[in-house]
Amino acid sequence: MNLESMSMAELLDIHNELADMKAGPKTFASKAKLIERITKTAEAKSIDLASFRQRSEPEAAVRGTEQQTERAEASEAPTETKPKRGKGVGDLARALIMDEAGYPYQLIAAMVNAQVDGASASAKSVAWYASKMRKAGIDVPERKKHFSADLNEEESVEWLAGVQVVGFVTGESFDDGCK
């Protein structure tokens, strides 16, 4: 075995097979020091470097053919077909995001879940798709904001709780100016 003609990576592999402690690619300052360490380790363990790794190439070829036959046998074996979950969710969500109507993300998620079997889209996942599209440089239409008229009774109460009554700029109260 001619160690001088081998690459550093091959020499490092040989060293790591021989040595008790593995070495990384930055362990040795030069190729000469790595070759010296390999020869010393081989001498200490009474390993003949000339015959070292001679059987490894045919074994690798045999292993490769065994793996190929296993793959072929596995593909012939009957497989259980599971229903594919969520196929087309992203495509549909992206199409609805690009719609000029500017549907809110919650509505898009509901539309996707209704059209795709097994989908579990949420407003956050639809927002994620929109974010990825914007990062890719796609001009995503603006979303419409929620209007209180579109909300149910509970949502409307929650929305109105956040509304603050503000007086006129002149400081008048609402009752003073409206008669």
Side-chain angles (χ1 to χ4, degrees):
M1 179 181 304
N2 187 4
L3 297 177
E4 286 80 18
S5 66
M6 295 182 151
S7 69
M8 285 289 284
E10 292 171 325
L11 290 171
L12 193 59
D13 286 342
I14 292 172
H15 174 270
N16 287 339
E17 284 182 39
L18 294 173
D20 296 329
M21 287 186 56
K22 306 287 183 214
K26 296 184 178 182
T27 304
F28 299 99
S30 68
K31 190 174 183 178
K33 291 193 181 213
L34 178 54
I35 292 171
E36 181 182 343
R37 176 76 63 89
I38 290 171
T39 54
K40 284 184 180 180
T41 307
E43 287 173 9
K45 293 188 173 188
S46 302
I47 297 174
D48 180 27
L49 284 176
S51 63
F52 184 71
R53 288 184 129 186
Q54 293 298 320
R55 287 188 41 212
S56 66
E57 292 174 1
E59 284 180 15
V62 170
R63 262 188 264 133
T65 56
E66 287 174 2
Q67 289 175 351
Q68 288 175 351
T69 56
E70 287 175 9
R71 284 187 205 127
E73 290 171 3
S75 64
E76 293 170 5
T79 57
E80 292 182 26
T81 56
K82 291 193 279 185
K84 295 192 177 181
R85 211 179 126 215
K87 275 290 197 194
V89 170
D91 293 334
L92 181 58
R94 286 184 196 96
L96 292 170
I97 289 169
M98 292 304 293
D99 193 327
E100 293 299 322
Y103 300 121
Y105 294 147
Q106 187 68 36
L107 179 60
I108 293 174
M111 292 165 75
V112 167
N113 291 337
Q115 291 182 22
V116 179
D117 291 336
S120 58
S122 66
K124 288 182 180 182
S125 64
V126 173
W128 179 83
Y129 283 115
S131 172
K132 293 294 271 187
M133 291 166 67
R134 285 187 193 98
K135 288 179 183 176
I138 299 170
D139 188 27
V140 177
E142 291 292 318
R143 304 287 111 206
K144 288 186 177 176
K145 303 297 179 194
H146 288 286
F147 297 104
S148 58
D150 296 335
L151 304 176
N152 64 25
E153 185 178 7
E154 292 174 9
E155 293 171 331
S156 181
V157 168
E158 184 178 319
W159 183 80
L160 287 171
V163 174
Q164 293 181 348
V165 178
V166 179
F168 292 107
V169 176
T170 60
E172 299 177 79
S173 69
F174 287 104
D175 295 333
D176 293 341
C178 300
K179 288 189 179 181

